[in-house]
Amino acid sequence: MKVVILAGGFGTRLSEETSIRPKPMVEVGGRPILWHIMKLYSHHGFKEFVILGGYKVDFIRNYFLNFRGKQTDYTIDLKTGRIEWLQGVREDWTVTVLDTGPDSLTGGRIKRAQPLIGDEPFCLTYGDGVSDVNIQDLVASHRASDCWCTLTAVTQPGRYGALRLDEQSNQVKAFREKGATDGGLINGGFFVCEPEVFDLIDNDFTTWENEPMDRLVDMGRLGYYHHQGYWQSMDSLRDKMVLEDAWASNPPWKVWVD
């Protein structure tokens, strides 16, 4: 199952960092937050990634093009250009970086990944949030339902998408993006989607969190997985400092072993 990561927005609320790089490439503990997200999925056995770039997409492209050289010791013959890779960090990932355009909205970016996903279910997440969510359990919950999309519901104060849930059916009965005063459970991302969701996205200017998710709710096809552990987005400089402090001590989202 491929993992699709939204990584193309402007990140204006973190402009101190995003004036020079896309938000998923802002570092926590010396590594892009995108790397932290990919490590979580990789830990649970999901190692095929489709990165949906847009704003400053070349920054992401160059990171992965030079990934091995920055992570692994090597010997290079400058005369022939031959490289011998020595012992070092090697991630067994397959990464596709897709330029979805600087002005596409989240739904439009997802729609552009359709040729790479085909008729298979896929994981989907945002490129700016970390969690210790068990991806295997999330996928199992989705497969046990008849939903076209399962989101991860987490607890966080109200500047995110508020949910009204039916606990008996594990379906989302209402979805409202960024309610000003909502508390309780909210959309934490970390979705599992069926390929049918592509048909609910109209064009590049469709916001995933609006029309497509409203349509899923109306159809009774939007489910949820309640994650009661750690979740934190990086939406501001303050959020970045929270994550940096956590990484320096005992980061709860670091479920992998170095």
PDB file of all heavy atoms in Angstrom, residues 132-133 152-155 185 225-231:
ATOM      1  N   ASP A 132       2.266   8.818  17.261  1.00  0.00           N
ATOM      2  CA  ASP A 132       2.663   7.437  17.492  1.00  0.00           C
ATOM      3  C   ASP A 132       1.536   6.487  17.110  1.00  0.00           C
ATOM      4  O   ASP A 132       1.471   5.351  17.594  1.00  0.00           O
ATOM      5  CB  ASP A 132       3.090   7.218  18.953  1.00  0.00           C
ATOM      6  CG  ASP A 132       1.972   7.515  19.950  1.00  0.00           C
ATOM      7  OD1 ASP A 132       0.910   8.003  19.540  1.00  0.00           O
ATOM      8  OD2 ASP A 132       2.186   7.262  21.158  1.00  0.00           O
ATOM      9  N   VAL A 133       0.641   6.924  16.226  1.00  0.00           N
ATOM     10  CA  VAL A 133      -0.474   6.097  15.792  1.00  0.00           C
ATOM     11  C   VAL A 133       0.042   4.793  15.171  1.00  0.00           C
ATOM     12  O   VAL A 133       1.043   4.780  14.449  1.00  0.00           O
ATOM     13  CB  VAL A 133      -1.359   6.867  14.783  1.00  0.00           C
ATOM     14  CG1 VAL A 133      -0.579   7.300  13.552  1.00  0.00           C
ATOM     15  CG2 VAL A 133      -2.577   6.043  14.390  1.00  0.00           C
ATOM     16  N   THR A 152      -8.023   9.481  11.113  1.00  0.00           N
ATOM     17  CA  THR A 152      -7.605   9.287  12.493  1.00  0.00           C
ATOM     18  C   THR A 152      -8.137  10.439  13.338  1.00  0.00           C
ATOM     19  O   THR A 152      -7.808  11.600  13.084  1.00  0.00           O
ATOM     20  CB  THR A 152      -6.071   9.222  12.593  1.00  0.00           C
ATOM     21  OG1 THR A 152      -5.608   8.121  11.795  1.00  0.00           O
ATOM     22  CG2 THR A 152      -5.629   9.004  14.024  1.00  0.00           C
ATOM     23  N   ALA A 153      -8.965  10.113  14.306  1.00  0.00           N
ATOM     24  CA  ALA A 153      -9.535  11.108  15.210  1.00  0.00           C
ATOM     25  C   ALA A 153      -8.643  11.221  16.442  1.00  0.00           C
ATOM     26  O   ALA A 153      -8.323  10.222  17.079  1.00  0.00           O
ATOM     27  CB  ALA A 153     -10.948  10.719  15.615  1.00  0.00           C
ATOM     28  N   VAL A 154      -8.236  12.451  16.768  1.00  0.00           N
ATOM     29  CA  VAL A 154      -7.347  12.693  17.903  1.00  0.00           C
ATOM     30  C   VAL A 154      -7.918  13.827  18.742  1.00  0.00           C
ATOM     31  O   VAL A 154      -8.803  14.559  18.308  1.00  0.00           O
ATOM     32  CB  VAL A 154      -5.912  13.035  17.439  1.00  0.00           C
ATOM     33  CG1 VAL A 154      -5.297  11.895  16.649  1.00  0.00           C
ATOM     34  CG2 VAL A 154      -5.907  14.328  16.615  1.00  0.00           C
ATOM     35  N   THR A 155      -7.400  13.960  19.936  1.00  0.00           N
ATOM     36  CA  THR A 155      -7.851  15.023  20.833  1.00  0.00           C
ATOM     37  C   THR A 155      -6.925  16.221  20.718  1.00  0.00           C
ATOM     38  O   THR A 155      -5.720  16.107  20.900  1.00  0.00           O
ATOM     39  CB  THR A 155      -7.865  14.536  22.298  1.00  0.00           C
ATOM     40  OG1 THR A 155      -8.710  13.405  22.387  1.00  0.00           O
ATOM     41  CG2 THR A 155      -8.372  15.629  23.221  1.00  0.00           C
ATOM     42  N   LEU A 185     -12.753  15.600  19.849  1.00  0.00           N
ATOM     43  CA  LEU A 185     -11.980  14.900  18.834  1.00  0.00           C
ATOM     44  C   LEU A 185     -11.962  15.685  17.529  1.00  0.00           C
ATOM     45  O   LEU A 185     -12.971  16.247  17.112  1.00  0.00           O
ATOM     46  CB  LEU A 185     -12.568  13.510  18.595  1.00  0.00           C
ATOM     47  CG  LEU A 185     -12.484  12.544  19.778  1.00  0.00           C
ATOM     48  CD1 LEU A 185     -13.168  11.237  19.436  1.00  0.00           C
ATOM     49  CD2 LEU A 185     -11.041  12.303  20.175  1.00  0.00           C
ATOM     50  N   TYR A 225     -10.833   6.212  13.025  1.00  0.00           N
ATOM     51  CA  TYR A 225     -10.062   5.382  13.940  1.00  0.00           C
ATOM     52  C   TYR A 225      -9.635   6.286  15.091  1.00  0.00           C
ATOM     53  O   TYR A 225      -8.956   7.290  14.866  1.00  0.00           O
ATOM     54  CB  TYR A 225      -8.845   4.807  13.215  1.00  0.00           C
ATOM     55  CG  TYR A 225      -7.850   4.095  14.107  1.00  0.00           C
ATOM     56  CD1 TYR A 225      -8.085   2.785  14.530  1.00  0.00           C
ATOM     57  CD2 TYR A 225      -6.678   4.726  14.523  1.00  0.00           C
ATOM     58  CE1 TYR A 225      -7.168   2.129  15.348  1.00  0.00           C
ATOM     59  CE2 TYR A 225      -5.762   4.081  15.334  1.00  0.00           C
ATOM     60  CZ  TYR A 225      -6.020   2.784  15.743  1.00  0.00           C
ATOM     61  OH  TYR A 225      -5.109   2.139  16.546  1.00  0.00           O
ATOM     62  N   HIS A 226     -10.052   5.959  16.309  1.00  0.00           N
ATOM     63  CA  HIS A 226      -9.773   6.818  17.453  1.00  0.00           C
ATOM     64  C   HIS A 226      -8.385   6.510  18.011  1.00  0.00           C
ATOM     65  O   HIS A 226      -8.146   5.451  18.580  1.00  0.00           O
ATOM     66  CB  HIS A 226     -10.832   6.605  18.542  1.00  0.00           C
ATOM     67  CG  HIS A 226     -10.692   7.555  19.696  1.00  0.00           C
ATOM     68  ND1 HIS A 226     -11.416   7.420  20.857  1.00  0.00           N
ATOM     69  CD2 HIS A 226      -9.896   8.654  19.876  1.00  0.00           C
ATOM     70  CE1 HIS A 226     -11.090   8.384  21.706  1.00  0.00           C
ATOM     71  NE2 HIS A 226     -10.157   9.143  21.122  1.00  0.00           N
ATOM     72  N   HIS A 227      -7.485   7.454  17.813  1.00  0.00           N
ATOM     73  CA  HIS A 227      -6.127   7.324  18.350  1.00  0.00           C
ATOM     74  C   HIS A 227      -6.034   8.119  19.648  1.00  0.00           C
ATOM     75  O   HIS A 227      -6.233   9.341  19.653  1.00  0.00           O
ATOM     76  CB  HIS A 227      -5.099   7.838  17.345  1.00  0.00           C
ATOM     77  CG  HIS A 227      -3.705   7.873  17.889  1.00  0.00           C
ATOM     78  ND1 HIS A 227      -3.074   6.751  18.372  1.00  0.00           N
ATOM     79  CD2 HIS A 227      -2.821   8.907  18.046  1.00  0.00           C
ATOM     80  CE1 HIS A 227      -1.859   7.078  18.791  1.00  0.00           C
ATOM     81  NE2 HIS A 227      -1.699   8.379  18.605  1.00  0.00           N
ATOM     82  N   GLN A 228      -5.716   7.432  20.726  1.00  0.00           N
ATOM     83  CA  GLN A 228      -5.684   8.077  22.029  1.00  0.00           C
ATOM     84  C   GLN A 228      -4.272   8.421  22.487  1.00  0.00           C
ATOM     85  O   GLN A 228      -4.074   8.895  23.609  1.00  0.00           O
ATOM     86  CB  GLN A 228      -6.366   7.184  23.072  1.00  0.00           C
ATOM     87  CG  GLN A 228      -7.815   6.877  22.714  1.00  0.00           C
ATOM     88  CD  GLN A 228      -8.526   6.072  23.784  1.00  0.00           C
ATOM     89  OE1 GLN A 228      -8.542   6.454  24.949  1.00  0.00           O
ATOM     90  NE2 GLN A 228      -9.113   4.947  23.382  1.00  0.00           N
ATOM     91  N   GLY A 229      -3.292   8.193  21.617  1.00  0.00           N
ATOM     92  CA  GLY A 229      -1.914   8.482  21.976  1.00  0.00           C
ATOM     93  C   GLY A 229      -1.478   9.875  21.552  1.00  0.00           C
ATOM     94  O   GLY A 229      -2.266  10.819  21.483  1.00  0.00           O
ATOM     95  N   TYR A 230      -0.217   9.987  21.195  1.00  0.00           N
ATOM     96  CA  TYR A 230       0.399  11.282  20.899  1.00  0.00           C
ATOM     97  C   TYR A 230       0.067  11.729  19.473  1.00  0.00           C
ATOM     98  O   TYR A 230       0.051  10.935  18.531  1.00  0.00           O
ATOM     99  CB  TYR A 230       1.912  11.194  21.068  1.00  0.00           C
ATOM    100  CG  TYR A 230       2.632  12.499  20.851  1.00  0.00           C
ATOM    101  CD1 TYR A 230       2.774  13.422  21.877  1.00  0.00           C
ATOM    102  CD2 TYR A 230       3.175  12.818  19.610  1.00  0.00           C
ATOM    103  CE1 TYR A 230       3.430  14.628  21.687  1.00  0.00           C
ATOM    104  CE2 TYR A 230       3.843  14.022  19.402  1.00  0.00           C
ATOM    105  CZ  TYR A 230       3.962  14.918  20.443  1.00  0.00           C
ATOM    106  OH  TYR A 230       4.613  16.107  20.244  1.00  0.00           O
ATOM    107  N   TRP A 231      -0.164  13.025  19.334  1.00  0.00           N
ATOM    108  CA  TRP A 231      -0.330  13.664  18.023  1.00  0.00           C
ATOM    109  C   TRP A 231       0.009  15.137  18.164  1.00  0.00           C
ATOM    110  O   TRP A 231      -0.384  15.793  19.131  1.00  0.00           O
ATOM    111  CB  TRP A 231      -1.776  13.525  17.533  1.00  0.00           C
ATOM    112  CG  TRP A 231      -2.037  14.213  16.214  1.00  0.00           C
ATOM    113  CD1 TRP A 231      -1.869  13.687  14.969  1.00  0.00           C
ATOM    114  CD2 TRP A 231      -2.514  15.557  16.023  1.00  0.00           C
ATOM    115  NE1 TRP A 231      -2.218  14.620  14.017  1.00  0.00           N
ATOM    116  CE2 TRP A 231      -2.618  15.776  14.646  1.00  0.00           C
ATOM    117  CE3 TRP A 231      -2.857  16.591  16.895  1.00  0.00           C
ATOM    118  CZ2 TRP A 231      -3.050  16.974  14.099  1.00  0.00           C
ATOM    119  CZ3 TRP A 231      -3.288  17.796  16.351  1.00  0.00           C
ATOM    120  CH2 TRP A 231      -3.382  17.971  14.966  1.00  0.00           C
TER     121      TRP A 231
END
